[in-house]
Amino acid sequence: MTWMQKGLGLIGLGVCLIALFVAGLFLYIGATATPLHTDPQKVPSVMHVAPPQKWTVAVEQARQIVKNGAAGQNLPGVSVAVGVGGEIVWTEGFGWANLESRVPVTPDMQFRIGTASQAVTSAAVGVLLEKGRLSLDDEIQAYVPEFPKKEWPVTLRQLMAHLAGVRNDAGGEEAVQAEGDEKSVQCQRPVDGVKRFAERKLLFEPGTRYRSSSYGWILVSAAVEAAAEESFSTFIRKQIFEPLGMNNTAPVAPPEPSPERAVFYFPRFSADPKYGPDEGREVDYSCFAGSAAFASTPSDLVRFLMAINSGKLLQPETVQLLQAEQRTVAGEGTGYGLGWHLETVTLAGEGTHVIGHDGELMGGMVASFLTLPNGVVVAVTSNIGFADTASIAVKVAEAFAQQGKGPVPK
């Protein structure tokens, strides 16, 4: 046997040992993980207001869906709200907001919604479009001169459509927060967050590729503040949250723990809640502004969607503009509007077009909300990263869609 054959043999043995170690680690972590909810039927829940009688069948189906989802995914807590015909018909909290003290999730408890904040910021852009203070095809420097011109022009529309080539905070590209103690980093204005990535080159020519960028929406937030001529937080509170009665939504949630907000957890292994939670760090997300910094409740998110659907907040033409699918310069559809996810899902056996947004925090999903063509609106939040809130929201929507197609129970 030559030295090369021996070397290759040793390399192969090393690879096998590493593979065995990784497989053993997965097995060990899985075997030692304690389920948070051993029985779906025993997942605790809190409901403040009983649903209307005509929706009790759908609610009971949806309650079981959420309990199965919480137990099956090993989620500490979940909160859900559903609106039909312009009215909130069901809100309920499931599981624990704080595992250590066993504080239950209540319907009015806040959750961080991560990048789902972008749909709310999109509505703020809509308000300014209707006031004639913004133009989607203006270069972003018209509103945010602190962002230097790049090799190619970058427009507000491209930023909102994730077509601008701006970097992201995931994948090791770079972080908005400074190295070290992230809790100490705070931005008083969105433009303070922009400065942390402003000098970086674009990843590609704007319009040629779809690539999600939370940094792009920090720029959008800075443009909103500039066009509104008042602070971003003040504008969005006065123009959206207060008029819609979103009393449990914070424009930029503070990093300090709050009894009104569920404790955030992070999977302790493999970005999967089934392996159990670790308590997440309380990070100051102020630098992300309208990109990912909001905290809200499912009820408030449903109020927001119903206002969008009814024309209470924006004119129908503006909503249509913001929710129209964007395309690359090559004509490829992106499945995304200007701050809105667009997709087709199977509900009650039929392909159904839904509009909404999922929210990611620290790389994993924490919130989802969607609206159906028939006016059913669903919002789901969880207090652990990498929760599949989207599948829970779709299944809950299906329960209400199925009842809506059949005779209404008396």
Side-chain angles (χ1 to χ4, degrees), residues 302-320:
V302 166
R303 290 185 180 95
F304 169 69
L305 287 178
M306 291 192 301
I308 290 289
N309 297 341
S310 67
K312 179 179 180 180
L313 181 62
L314 299 171
Q315 298 172 10
E317 295 80 6
T318 304
V319 174
Q320 185 176 11

Side-chain angles (χ1 to χ4, degrees), residues 112-118 168-172 174-177 180 182-183 212 214-215 255 262-273 278-285 288 291-294 358-367 382-387:
R112 291 194 180 275
I113 65 170
T115 55
S117 305
Q118 293 166 16
N168 201 11
D169 64 317
E174 67 219 68
V176 167
Q177 288 91 353
E182 294 183 355
K183 293 180 67 175
S212 182
S214 57
Y215 287 1
V263 174
F264 177 70
Y265 296 92
F266 196 82
R268 70 186 180 114
F269 185 70
S270 190
D272 191 335
D278 280 332
E279 186 169 336
R281 294 172 299 164
E282 284 292 345
V283 176
D284 191 321
Y285 289 95
F288 285 89
S291 174
F294 298 159
D358 296 322
E360 291 189 358
L361 194 68
M362 297 181 68
M365 190 182 298
V366 294
S382 181
N383 58 339
I384 188 168
F386 294 90

Side-chain angles (χ1 to χ4, degrees), residues 33-207:
T34 302
L36 300 175
H37 311 289
T38 56
D39 183 354
Q41 304 308 320
K42 295 181 180 179
V43 175
S45 67
V46 177
M47 183 192 303
H48 289 331
V49 180
Q53 185 176 1
K54 67 179 182 179
W55 290 107
T56 54
V57 173
V59 168
E60 283 308 309
Q61 292 177 350
R63 293 183 81 243
Q64 193 59 54
I65 288 166
V66 179
K67 288 187 173 186
N68 289 342
Q73 295 188 45
N74 206 33
L75 309 179
V78 182
S79 190
V80 185
V82 176
V84 182
E87 299 290 336
I88 296 178
V89 299
W90 177 47
T91 62
E92 192 164 356
F94 298 81
W96 308 111
N98 186 320
L99 290 171
E100 183 178 2
S101 59
R102 281 298 192 261
V103 174
V105 174
T106 62
D108 54 359
M109 185 164 284
Q110 289 182 331
F111 289 72
R112 291 194 180 275
I113 65 170
T115 55
S117 305
Q118 293 166 16
V120 182
T121 305
S122 172
V125 171
V127 171
L128 291 166
L129 288 174
E130 292 182 353
K131 294 177 181 293
R133 297 186 184 179
L134 280 176
S135 175
L136 292 176
D137 295 314
D138 279 348
E139 291 188 39
I140 190 62
Q141 289 81 11
Y143 310 104
V144 192
E146 294 85 351
F147 186 70
K149 286 184 176 290
K150 305 299 179 183
E151 183 178 356
W152 306 282
V154 178
T155 67
L156 179 61
R157 184 192 299 273
Q158 290 166 337
L159 289 163
M160 295 178 69
H162 294 295
L163 291 169
V166 174
R167 293 167 179 262
N168 201 11
D169 64 317
E173 289 173 2
E174 67 219 68
V176 167
Q177 288 91 353
E179 295 294 331
D181 182 10
E182 294 183 355
K183 293 180 67 175
S184 67
V185 179
Q186 189 176 53
C187 294
Q188 298 299 322
R189 303 171 56 207
V191 74
D192 296 334
V194 170
K195 293 174 183 177
R196 297 180 178 274
F197 61 89
E199 299 299 329
R200 305 299 292 177
K201 293 182 178 181
L202 299 181
L203 296 173
F204 52 83
E205 182 178 355

